[in-house]
Amino acid sequence: MNAKAIVLPVHNGRRGHPVIFSSALYGELLAAPADKARRAVVWAHSADVLEVPTDEQGVVLNLNDPDMLRHANGKDED
């Protein structure tokens, strides 16, 4: 089996997080624009990505969104 430089989880066809990068890509990550660094490196190395299927919905949730975080914690308002 060939090792891949980037590993990321996939839930129901959607790529999620955390994304794991080989240390060989750290310089490229640091040099990329801050708002697009991870995506830019993933796009640049699309042939070197290993997608790992998972049933865990949490990999695709945006927990930086307060409403999504409340939902994920089961604290939705009725």
Side-chain angles (χ1 to χ4, degrees):
M1 181 169 126
N2 293 337
K4 297 288 187 173
I6 303 168
V7 180
L8 54 86
V10 177
H11 176 72
N12 287 340
R14 291 181 57 203
R15 288 179 164 183
H17 54 83
V19 179
I20 302 169
F21 292 93
S22 164
S23 61
L25 297 175
Y26 287 178
E28 197 170 333
L29 284 163
L30 292 172
D35 62 332
K36 297 178 184 160
R38 292 167 294 200
R39 286 187 176 156
V41 174
V42 170
W43 292 332
H45 297 275
S46 62
D48 207 17
V49 173
L50 173 64
E51 293 183 344
V52 179
T54 179
D55 291 331
E56 177 54 54
Q57 179 187 17
V59 302
V60 295
L61 297 179
N62 177 4
L63 299 180
N64 292 323
D65 177 292
D67 292 331
M68 184 65 67
L69 182 58
R70 278 191 293 279
H71 175 73
N73 285 327
K75 297 180 181 176
D76 289 328
E77 294 181 26
D78 295 330

